[in-house]
Amino acid sequence: MFSPRTIGHARTPYAKTSDIPKGLGAQHNAEGVLEILPELEPGLTDIEGFSHLIVLWVFDRSEGFDLLGTPPSDNRPHGVFATRSPRRPNPIALTIVELLRRDGPRLHVRGVDMLDGTPLLDIKPYLSNVPPEKLRRGWLAEAEARKKE
Amino acid sequence: MFSPRTIGHARTPYAKTSDIPKGLGAQHNAEGVLEILPELEPGLTDIEGFSHLIVLWVFDRSEGFDLLGTPPSDNRPHGVFATRSPRRPNPIALTIVELLRRDGPRLHVRGVDMLDGTPLLDIKPYLSNVPPEKLRRGWLAEAEARKKE
């Protein structure tokens, strides 16, 4: 196995977990900055052409994992691999952000949902969508439907 | 930083890198199985409701990284964070697969593009698409346009 290394840090408006919008209908429109280590800046070459990025980061203030848990968006327990819970066997998180602009090693983005200072693991270009007519969203769609009743 | 742990392994038709379709227009329709460790099976509870999954896995047969590289889909170099190159600071890969069925701790999926035996790090539900009218795909769209000329 590899040893994870930090490629940079997220600057976000969220100082504590309770600041982050959660649950059904939560909006993630907050702007933030992905500060990449200066020595890795050449790795950002041509990233400006992409409107959206996949950001992998570490749930660095979470410890241990639960195989079953009840997410903020439902009142029923689900398997950890069917949720975005931070308490996972590998505490790796994924966020899709919109790239607003690049300023050297700093990527200004919209859609951050991580705590300020969070260590980043990777950035990848977002390349394609799943065909909408094929997308099913399991318990989350059910919880949304129950909420509307 | 955390110590990555294997949550299972991918069974795919690809014994060597050269077997995997690459480059512009490459199709990833191959079926495979994500074999999750038996002790983690409860973490898959309710995953059947999702049509698509995000799989995080390790480029375990890649070593070191390059900040700039020329991907199989283009003849020009790009920054590593603007590509899906295996030679990244953290050798973490991401694949979106379609879940066909679950058989206990085994997820039968379509769309695998990793080598047989690849260690898996995480599985997350695929929840939403980027609005298609907002999606820009940088150098990849340019390479596709040049190919059509």
Side-chain angles (χ1 to χ4, degrees):
Chain A
M1 265 298 174
F2 66 100
S3 294
R5 46 181 288 168
T6 304
I7 65 158
H9 294 89
R11 298 298 157 207
T12 79
Y14 306 126
K16 50 187 198 298
T17 309
S18 58
D19 294 342
I20 304 174
K22 281 190 197 65
L24 287 180
Q27 299 283 315
H28 293 289
N29 294 321
E31 292 188 18
V33 179
L34 309 179
E35 293 186 344
I36 306 306
L37 300 179
E39 64 267 31
L40 299 180
E41 183 178 339
L44 298 174
T45 306
D46 297 337
I47 207 164
E48 301 90 333
F50 293 90
S51 60
H52 292 77
L53 303 174
I54 299 170
V55 186
L56 299 182
W57 47 279
V58 187
F59 286 116
D60 66 324
R61 277 154 278 189
S62 172
E63 220 169 290
F65 68 93
D66 302 307
L67 290 176
L68 283 169
T70 302
S73 42
D74 203 359
N75 51 13
R76 306 175 184 196
H78 305 288
V80 64
F81 300 123
T83 75
R84 298 292 185 100
S85 165
R87 299 182 51 78
R88 2 191 16 97
N90 290 296
I92 306 177
L94 177 154
T95 302
I96 309 293
V97 297
E98 182 180 357
L99 178 59
L100 301 174
R101 70 180 194 279
R102 175 181 159 197
D103 173 18
R106 297 162 55 91
L107 302 174
H108 295 257
V109 299
R110 192 193 334 268
V112 292
D113 62 352
M114 63 288 271
L115 291 169
D116 187 44
T118 289
L120 305 176
L121 287 175
D122 202 3
I123 295 176
K124 300 178 191 291
Y126 185 103
L127 299 181
S128 63
N129 283 325
V130 165
E133 69 279 8
K134 297 186 90 180
L135 190 58
R136 283 184 301 111
R137 298 160 59 249
W139 65 259
L140 184 61
E142 290 168 21
E144 286 170 354
R146 278 201 306 276
K147 195 188 176 193
K148 280 188 194 140
E149 278 167 10
Chain B
M1 266 298 175
F2 65 101
S3 295
R5 46 180 288 168
T6 304
I7 64 158
H9 294 87
R11 297 299 158 206
T12 80
Y14 305 127
K16 50 187 198 297
T17 308
S18 58
D19 293 342
I20 305 175
K22 281 191 198 66
L24 288 180
Q27 299 283 314
H28 293 290
N29 294 320
E31 292 188 19
V33 179
L34 310 178
E35 292 186 345
I36 306 306
L37 300 179
E39 63 267 31
L40 299 180
E41 183 180 337
L44 298 175
T45 305
D46 296 337
I47 207 164
E48 302 90 333
F50 294 90
S51 59
H52 292 77
L53 304 174
I54 300 171
V55 186
L56 299 182
W57 47 279
V58 186
F59 286 117
D60 66 323
R61 276 152 278 189
S62 172
E63 220 169 291
F65 68 93
D66 302 307
L67 290 175
L68 284 168
T70 301
S73 41
D74 203 357
N75 50 14
R76 305 174 186 197
H78 305 289
V80 64
F81 300 123
T83 74
R84 299 290 186 102
S85 164
R87 298 183 51 79
R88 359 188 24 93
N90 290 296
I92 305 177
L94 178 154
T95 302
I96 310 292
V97 298
E98 182 182 356
L99 178 58
L100 301 174
R101 69 179 194 280
R102 174 180 160 201
D103 171 18
R106 299 161 55 90
L107 302 174
H108 294 258
V109 299
R110 189 189 341 261
V112 293
D113 63 352
M114 64 288 270
L115 290 169
D116 187 44
T118 290
L120 306 176
L121 287 175
D122 202 2
I123 295 176
K124 299 178 192 291
Y126 185 103
L127 298 181
S128 63
N129 282 327
V130 165
E133 70 279 8
K134 298 186 88 179
L135 189 59
R136 284 184 300 112
R137 298 159 59 249
W139 64 260
L140 185 61
E142 290 168 20
E144 286 171 353
R146 279 200 306 276
K147 195 188 176 191
K148 281 189 196 140
E149 276 168 11

